[in-house]
Amino acid sequence: MSTIRTRKKTTVQTIVAKKANGEKITCLTAYDYFIGRLLDQAGIDIVLVGDSAANVVHGFKTTIPITLDVMIAHTAAVSRGVERALLVTDMPFLSFQPSIETAIISCGRCMKEGFAEAVKIEGGIEMVPTVKRLIECGIPVMGHIGLTPQSIHRFGGPKVQAREERSRNYLKESALALEEAGCFSCVLELMEANTAAEITSSLTTMATIGIGAGRECDGQVLVTNDLLGLREPEFTPKFLKQYADLPPIISEAVSKYINEVKSGTYPGPEHSY
Ligand code: KIV
């Protein structure tokens, strides 16, 4: 029997247990059926339908413009390819901030229409009442603190967090409050590694998933497009490791196709009925 067949379904409890056992947690983003299926088959723990879809799928400069309907459509597509990984949807800007009721309705739609098994919401201690109510409603929540991209205009750019004492205290206090509120995990984005390590060791039931937050987090997440080289060439943050370079492979295949169609080599007799 293959490894894939014997792997069990990942749940929020699996993620918390991995933290308790000191087992690293892996997370990558997906926005469509096929990539969702490839990540799942490769053995990823968490597939995140990130609002980074705004950047890498839709070509926006920030994550702010993506809508709830579009995120639900991406989630539903990914859900059809994911069998074993935990499927988490990123709640887009203003789909959860206006009120607790708005948050319940928006997150509920991601589960009912997109088949998400958990949601991710950006924000620290100020989001605790919303997180508590969502969890009471049966919606598992992944937190997200540090550089939260939906607040990019407030930050004034992608600035590394936890460099000042005030920021460090806010992040530490927020992590503890989100754990207490019941989050099963929390993304720590773009922050000094020492603070991320301190936060991680201060928590027992909320796993930290780092991106640009050093190696001491309980797990790591990357945007899949970035890992495959499908990114703007000028986007080269220090934390990013590119594991493959797909653009030249795609360009070469497309050029070959264009040339063969133009020269009449494709379709050949073997492609005709
Ligand atoms: O939208 C996203 O892809 C994210 C991850 C980078 C954590 O929020």
Side-chain angles (χ1 to χ4, degrees), residues 28-41 47 78 81-82 224-225 228 230 246:
L28 282 171
T29 63
Y31 317 101
D32 62 46
Y33 161 75
F34 207 79
I35 296 289
R37 197 171 78 164
L38 287 174
L39 299 185
D40 193 58
Q41 290 178 345
V47 173
V78 173
V82 171
T224 298
N225 289 55
L228 299 176
L230 296 169
L246 294 197

Side-chain angles (χ1 to χ4, degrees), residues 54-193:
N55 311 116
V56 300
V57 179
H58 299 276
F60 290 114
K61 293 256 179 286
T62 73
T63 57
I64 291 169
I66 201 159
T67 64
L68 181 60
D69 284 342
V70 172
M71 286 301 296
I72 291 172
H74 283 299
T75 307
V78 173
S79 77
R80 290 174 206 118
V82 171
E83 285 180 19
R84 291 169 178 81
L86 180 70
L87 181 60
V88 182
T89 300
D90 209 358
M91 299 310 297
F93 183 53
L94 294 192
S95 68
F96 63 91
Q97 293 95 336
S99 68
I100 292 180
E101 194 184 342
T102 314
I104 295 171
I105 293 169
S106 302
C107 297
R109 282 193 63 201
C110 287
M111 295 181 83
K112 286 165 76 92
E113 299 169 42
F115 309 101
E117 295 161 335
V119 298
K120 174 167 85 56
I121 69 174
E122 292 188 7
I125 194 163
E126 69 285 357
M127 292 316 301
V128 161
T130 305
V131 169
K132 281 190 174 158
R133 193 65 195 108
L134 288 171
I135 294 170
E136 276 169 10
C137 291
I139 302 174
V141 182
M142 173 186 271
H144 185 161
I145 59 174
L147 190 282
T148 44
Q150 292 170 16
S151 304
I152 195 74
H153 297 309
R154 179 159 56 80
F155 287 116
K159 296 183 182 154
V160 176
Q161 301 299 295
R163 288 210 158 134
E164 298 87 34
E165 198 183 350
R166 192 154 161 250
S167 162
R168 274 195 295 279
N169 290 340
Y170 165 75
L171 293 169
K172 289 186 215 168
E173 201 186 343
S174 289
L176 287 172
L178 290 170
E179 177 177 67
E180 168 71 22
C183 286
F184 70 96
S185 66
C186 185
V187 169
L188 307 185
E189 180 161 353
L190 208 61
M191 70 173 70
E192 287 205 332

Side-chain angles (χ1 to χ4, degrees), residues 19 172 175-176 179 197-204:
K19 175 178 174 72
K172 289 186 215 168
L176 287 172
E179 177 177 67
E198 215 183 303
I199 288 174
T200 301
S201 63
S202 73
L203 304 168
T204 49

